[in-house]
Amino acid sequence: MLRTVILKEIRDSVSTLKFALTFLVVVVLVISGLVLGSKNYLEQRGEINRQRQLNQKMLESQFDWLNAGWAGVIESKKPFVLTTVDNGIDNSLGRLAYVDTLDDARLDESRNLVSPILAVFGEVDLTFVVKIILSLFVILLTYDALSGEKERGTLKLALANNIPRYKILLGKILGGFTVIAFSFLLPLLIGLAFMMGFYNEVLADFTPDAWWRLLIIIAAYLLYLAVFFSLGIFVSSLSHRSSTSFVVLLVIWVLFVTIIPRISLATSERIKPYESYTALQTKAYKEVSEKRAAVMDEFLPKFIQIRNRSMRQAFMGGGGQQEPSTEISEMMTDFWRQLGDTQREVMDYYDRQYDRQQRSQIELAESMARFLSPTSAMSFAVQSLAGSGWARQREYIDQLRKFRIDFMNYVFEKAEAVEYQSMWDMMDKQKLDVDIGRVSFEFREETLGTVFSRAMIDMAVLALMSIVFFAASFVAFIRYDVR
Amino acid sequence: MIFEIVKKEIRVNLTSPKVVITYAVCMILILAALITGAMSYLSLKEEAVAQTAAEKDRLRNVFNYRMDFMVNGIYLYREPDVLSVLVSGVEGDAARRGRITFYTGSNFDVSKFNSTPILAIFGMLDLSFIVKVILSLFAILFTFDAISGEKEQETLKLNFANSLKRGTFIIGKLIGNFILLLIPFVLPLILGLLIVEFTPGIDFSSDDWIRILLITLAFVLYLLVFYSMGMMVSALTKRPVVSFLILLMLWVCFTSVVPRVAVLTAQTLEPVPPLDEVRKEYFSEFGSSQEAFMNSVRERVEELFEFIRAGMNSPDGLSNMQQMQQEMLQGIQEAHDVFAREMSERGLQISREQEMKQERQNQLAITLSRLTSPVAALDFAVDRLARTGVYSSDEQFKDSVDDYIKSYTDYARDFNRPDSLMGGQGISMEKLDLSEVYPDRSFYVAETLGESVEASIWDFAILALTATIFLAVAIVAFLRYDVR
Amino acid sequence: MLETIDLTKRYEDGVLGLDHLNLKVEGGEIFCLLGANGAGKTTAINLLLNFIEPSEGTARINNIDVTKDPLQAKRHVSFVSENVMLYPNFSARQNLDYFARLGGKRNLSREEYYNALRRVGLEEEAFERKLKTFSKGMRQKTGIAIAILKDSPVVILDEPTSGLDPKAADEFVHLLKELREEGRCIFMSTHDIFRSKGLADRVAIMKKGNLVMTRTAEELEHEDLEALYLDYMRT
């Protein structure tokens, strides 16, 4: 009996125009999304090697090691392979890492600045297809699940048989969700097959870790669709007219997908405002300027001393010549090192302060959003897993900062080992032998465990929402007036 | 007769659950958007003002070392435009702070998203977004069954069993339903604007009001596009379900897919070399120029020492030596400034070239998406009129800063503090003359109304044309519609 | 007066919906068109109301060619469809008001609307209730009230008694007879053989687009209409 209902549900849904149209659109968008994501990924990945070669050459062409430190290195952020599936907020994040001895390590140049039109619903990737298109399809499928059958008179007909109410609903649910899962998974498989054919190199970059992440992402997608599905059935079981449930569901969709996420931000900004980064930077910069002035004060007498001695040497001609030593290099390097350190200490202090404040605001906004909007919960989970959210960016910047310290140590190490006789020798160009390994940044990805534990709460929220709505629909349907 | 139909359209829908729910949602959202927009504007403005004051303070007290001034430079802050209350534009993505250094020209390194990713994660809820996404969806909701729905409920037949012209009927429907759509937009808008205008700290000039009027007109035209699209599809189909599906797909297309494709096409047709390559190019040149400069300095120094050694044994040799040393150092200073100035200009030139290429690509992307998606056309018109779009936030700002660079570099070049490592008799503790370096006037020159209108007129035209075409098709389709 | 001359409709897929229909109904006459589904009854009505164009022949209302001057022709006709749904959010009176205005009557008072609704037997408390709460019978009555209010010489009805209970159907028949006494020309398609016998002045049977039989009321007194009908259907 149950099987009969399930099969009828499946056949009934699959034979509609809405299924055919949606399926077509989903396949097209999934493939284009994967292609786009792959191209971007390969491009960015390819850039990195080229940039490393260039970095080395450019550093070697600098006047001396200190100048090389000022020039620094520029490298593209290493993309995580799953950004092909979910672009997340990556378009708004900095993609170019700047590391030098003068300034803080930073990630700048986001894509959105270049193409600002992109940002209404985000990049057209797999998440977009699920978030927007499939959720709308689910609504179209479920809004008349019960009220429609009542209007057509088939509900009465079904119940005039030896079948308990809950089985009818269960059959509808199982049948309906099968269709939905199918309309997502099949295009996904087609997409993956396409990738195997044309973008195999991207698939080759999938570590076992990445495959597991992908699996969990797919589970998150299905949970997301389950929420909308259960919601649709529930609303349909509350109203007797399809047109009403339709409008209600559409408005709820708008609320979940577009409004609640934005409102949570606005609200948490009011509740937990914090000084913007620029404000803190201004304060920091003032402190840095003062400290740098102090360093200058300390070193200037030493410079003058060396300069006078060098002048005397030059005038005296041959007599009293110094042996070439690293004294001058050491002093100069020490000067620049101190300048760098003062800046770093100050910036670290302000960064930590900023981080704390920002984190508490983001956490508040996230909590509001994830419990009120399945779209937010799903986005958070997927972005954690795909490495396309703020978490990985923060981790990247942290590691980049540590790398900057290594870079500075390397440059200064080399700088202070240079031997000069007098200050005038500094005007000769040095030959720089740059070890590419020490000026290239290697990022360590977060582990599956870390990432999954972050995503778990969002997935639990999605599961809970579905269960609640399903339970509510059962209750509502038992008392549904079928006449 | 038209009047009867208009009246009926309004009355029939006014009490339907569809209208009640959407009206409530619009009312709340539009008011909320305007109020939060006002609050955002006020806090951004406060911040910019505070930043500028802090920067001037710093310049007054700390700048006494040449290197800091030349290498680390100064910061310039831009205040947000008051119309960002309605349209936040790309405020999140664009620069609000510019930095000028002697050697590298202007830099724009602050993106709100980079330092406040929260905006990227959640997105901005402004009036523009509500119209663009939500009201357009409602426009479709109001119209998808306008014709096909009456056919389904058999009232279409009943209407035309009378002496009723088809044209009359469709035009009455078009007018009536559009009024229904405009009400939940215009009423809260007026209310919200009044609330904002009376908020302390926010002042709309008469110029601003004209812009607001034009922005509203753009919004109305935009809604007309989706409205007429809905009517058109409803008049081309028999069943409301089919019309809704088609319209939903079109909506998703216009809001997401089409703009993406336009950008992609532009990127393919007008590729831009990545920024890192360009900067490296600069630093390589810098390296070799510096080498040349250092060589010439070394030569001069050697010359001087020769001269001095030669003249060491003459009686007035010592005093001559002092003078010669002074002159040499002066000479080195000048040569250094020439070198630095050249590198600065070169830096500016390089970034200008890069920007021009990027600009060409952007222009192409803009043109393509404007022509193919009403969402993009609306975005550009409205961002331009509110001065919060890419042009104002980015280009206009950068232009203003670049104009300012001239006075900065002129001052820096004359700023002759001989405390460099290579020479100087002592360290000068004199402070900077702030009035020259950081004048009190606002350096930011905003676009005039005429310029904004001229730039956005094409978008108005595109929207109007699209709406006209859809309306025409809707009317023609209805004239031949099967009313049975 | 209502008239068709060689009225023919060939659909795009080649099906002959109506094959040279010739009939004439005068004022003060009730004409019933019987036939199976798809026989051409609704096609005839659609042609008379200019919802579709004829392939050949003419249809006339009060001597005005419906195809050449539809707007004028429709001044003189009112229509009651099979499924009267009307505007669900409007009350009975509001629906009446709208369609009365469309029909050219702009200055009717509320009482006049109520009177029309009373005449068709609608209960008072339903006058201001929304149509979506109405049963089928109530809707049918409202549909007829609309037709009555237009006060047109010709009234066309498509399966008006389908789904009505005997009492409501009886009231309906009574109403139609009243309209006939007022001199109107009444043209209706129906499946209700039983009622046609007591109601119609003339009855015609259609089969596959053709008018295969006509009988007057007198002739029917001596013949069994049901048997006749089934006979024609079988062949």
Side-chain angles (χ1 to χ4, degrees), chain A residues 135-152:
Chain A
S135 59
L136 281 173
F137 173 60
V138 167
I139 287 180
L140 282 179
L141 203 66
T142 57
Y143 81 95
D144 64 351
L146 292 165
S147 39
E149 294 240 12
K150 172 174 175 160
E151 282 167 355
R152 285 194 290 273

Short mmCIF file of all heavy atoms in Angstrom, two decimals, chain A residues 135-152:
data_model
loop_
_atom_site.label_atom_id
_atom_site.label_comp_id
_atom_site.label_asym_id
_atom_site.label_seq_id
_atom_site.Cartn_x
_atom_site.Cartn_y
_atom_site.Cartn_z
N SER A 135 15.61 24.92 -4.12
CA SER A 135 14.67 25.24 -3.04
C SER A 135 13.36 25.76 -3.63
O SER A 135 12.28 25.45 -3.13
CB SER A 135 15.27 26.26 -2.07
OG SER A 135 15.62 27.44 -2.73
N LEU A 136 13.43 26.54 -4.70
CA LEU A 136 12.21 27.01 -5.37
C LEU A 136 11.45 25.83 -5.97
O LEU A 136 10.22 25.76 -5.88
CB LEU A 136 12.55 28.02 -6.48
CG LEU A 136 12.85 29.44 -6.01
CD1 LEU A 136 13.32 30.29 -7.18
CD2 LEU A 136 11.62 30.07 -5.38
N PHE A 137 12.19 24.91 -6.54
CA PHE A 137 11.56 23.74 -7.11
C PHE A 137 10.83 22.96 -6.03
O PHE A 137 9.70 22.48 -6.24
CB PHE A 137 12.62 22.86 -7.78
CG PHE A 137 12.08 21.54 -8.25
CD1 PHE A 137 11.07 21.47 -9.19
CD2 PHE A 137 12.59 20.35 -7.76
CE1 PHE A 137 10.57 20.26 -9.63
CE2 PHE A 137 12.10 19.12 -8.20
CZ PHE A 137 11.10 19.08 -9.13
N VAL A 138 11.47 22.82 -4.89
CA VAL A 138 10.84 22.10 -3.79
C VAL A 138 9.52 22.77 -3.41
O VAL A 138 8.51 22.12 -3.20
CB VAL A 138 11.78 22.06 -2.56
CG1 VAL A 138 11.03 21.61 -1.33
CG2 VAL A 138 12.93 21.13 -2.82
N ILE A 139 9.55 24.10 -3.36
CA ILE A 139 8.31 24.82 -3.03
C ILE A 139 7.24 24.56 -4.09
O ILE A 139 6.08 24.29 -3.77
CB ILE A 139 8.59 26.33 -2.90
CG1 ILE A 139 9.34 26.57 -1.61
CG2 ILE A 139 7.30 27.12 -2.92
CD1 ILE A 139 9.67 28.01 -1.37
N LEU A 140 7.64 24.61 -5.35
CA LEU A 140 6.68 24.37 -6.42
C LEU A 140 6.11 22.96 -6.35
O LEU A 140 4.98 22.71 -6.74
CB LEU A 140 7.35 24.57 -7.78
CG LEU A 140 7.53 26.02 -8.21
CD1 LEU A 140 8.22 26.08 -9.55
CD2 LEU A 140 6.19 26.72 -8.28
N LEU A 141 6.92 22.04 -5.84
CA LEU A 141 6.48 20.66 -5.77
C LEU A 141 5.54 20.43 -4.59
O LEU A 141 4.60 19.65 -4.67
CB LEU A 141 7.70 19.75 -5.61
CG LEU A 141 7.53 18.31 -6.05
CD1 LEU A 141 7.31 18.25 -7.54
CD2 LEU A 141 8.78 17.53 -5.69
N THR A 142 5.79 21.13 -3.50
CA THR A 142 5.06 20.79 -2.27
C THR A 142 3.90 21.71 -1.92
O THR A 142 3.10 21.36 -1.06
CB THR A 142 6.02 20.81 -1.06
OG1 THR A 142 6.63 22.10 -0.99
CG2 THR A 142 7.07 19.74 -1.18
N TYR A 143 3.83 22.89 -2.54
CA TYR A 143 2.82 23.84 -2.06
C TYR A 143 1.40 23.30 -2.19
O TYR A 143 0.52 23.64 -1.41
CB TYR A 143 2.94 25.18 -2.79
CG TYR A 143 2.31 25.22 -4.16
CD1 TYR A 143 1.02 25.70 -4.35
CD2 TYR A 143 3.01 24.77 -5.28
CE1 TYR A 143 0.44 25.74 -5.60
CE2 TYR A 143 2.43 24.81 -6.52
CZ TYR A 143 1.14 25.29 -6.69
OH TYR A 143 0.59 25.31 -7.93
N ASP A 144 1.20 22.43 -3.19
CA ASP A 144 -0.15 21.89 -3.33
C ASP A 144 -0.16 20.39 -3.02
O ASP A 144 -1.02 19.66 -3.49
CB ASP A 144 -0.69 22.15 -4.73
CG ASP A 144 0.11 21.44 -5.80
OD1 ASP A 144 1.19 20.89 -5.47
OD2 ASP A 144 -0.32 21.44 -6.95
N ALA A 145 0.82 19.97 -2.22
CA ALA A 145 0.93 18.55 -1.91
C ALA A 145 -0.38 18.02 -1.33
O ALA A 145 -0.89 16.99 -1.72
CB ALA A 145 2.06 18.32 -0.93
N LEU A 146 -0.90 18.77 -0.37
CA LEU A 146 -2.14 18.30 0.24
C LEU A 146 -3.33 19.12 -0.23
O LEU A 146 -4.36 18.58 -0.61
CB LEU A 146 -2.01 18.35 1.76
CG LEU A 146 -0.99 17.32 2.24
CD1 LEU A 146 -0.57 17.57 3.67
CD2 LEU A 146 -1.58 15.94 2.12
N SER A 147 -3.17 20.44 -0.21
CA SER A 147 -4.30 21.28 -0.61
C SER A 147 -4.69 21.04 -2.06
O SER A 147 -5.86 21.12 -2.43
CB SER A 147 -4.00 22.76 -0.37
OG SER A 147 -2.66 23.05 -0.70
N GLY A 148 -3.71 20.71 -2.88
CA GLY A 148 -4.00 20.43 -4.29
C GLY A 148 -4.82 19.17 -4.47
O GLY A 148 -5.79 19.12 -5.21
N GLU A 149 -4.40 18.13 -3.72
CA GLU A 149 -5.14 16.88 -3.83
C GLU A 149 -6.56 17.05 -3.31
O GLU A 149 -7.50 16.45 -3.81
CB GLU A 149 -4.42 15.78 -3.03
CG GLU A 149 -3.08 15.41 -3.59
CD GLU A 149 -2.99 13.95 -4.00
OE1 GLU A 149 -4.04 13.29 -4.06
OE2 GLU A 149 -1.88 13.50 -4.27
N LYS A 150 -6.68 17.88 -2.31
CA LYS A 150 -8.04 18.14 -1.81
C LYS A 150 -8.87 18.82 -2.89
O LYS A 150 -10.00 18.45 -3.14
CB LYS A 150 -7.96 19.03 -0.57
CG LYS A 150 -9.33 19.49 -0.12
CD LYS A 150 -9.26 20.23 1.19
CE LYS A 150 -10.67 20.77 1.52
NZ LYS A 150 -10.83 21.09 2.90
N GLU A 151 -8.26 19.85 -3.53
CA GLU A 151 -8.98 20.59 -4.56
C GLU A 151 -9.35 19.71 -5.75
O GLU A 151 -10.40 19.87 -6.34
CB GLU A 151 -8.13 21.78 -5.04
CG GLU A 151 -8.15 22.95 -4.06
CD GLU A 151 -7.07 23.98 -4.37
OE1 GLU A 151 -6.26 23.73 -5.29
OE2 GLU A 151 -7.03 25.01 -3.70
N ARG A 152 -8.47 18.78 -6.07
CA ARG A 152 -8.75 17.92 -7.22
C ARG A 152 -9.73 16.80 -6.86
O ARG A 152 -10.24 16.12 -7.72
CB ARG A 152 -7.47 17.30 -7.76
CG ARG A 152 -6.61 18.27 -8.54
CD ARG A 152 -5.55 17.52 -9.32
NE ARG A 152 -4.54 16.94 -8.44
CZ ARG A 152 -3.46 17.59 -8.03
NH1 ARG A 152 -3.25 18.83 -8.41
NH2 ARG A 152 -2.60 17.01 -7.22
#
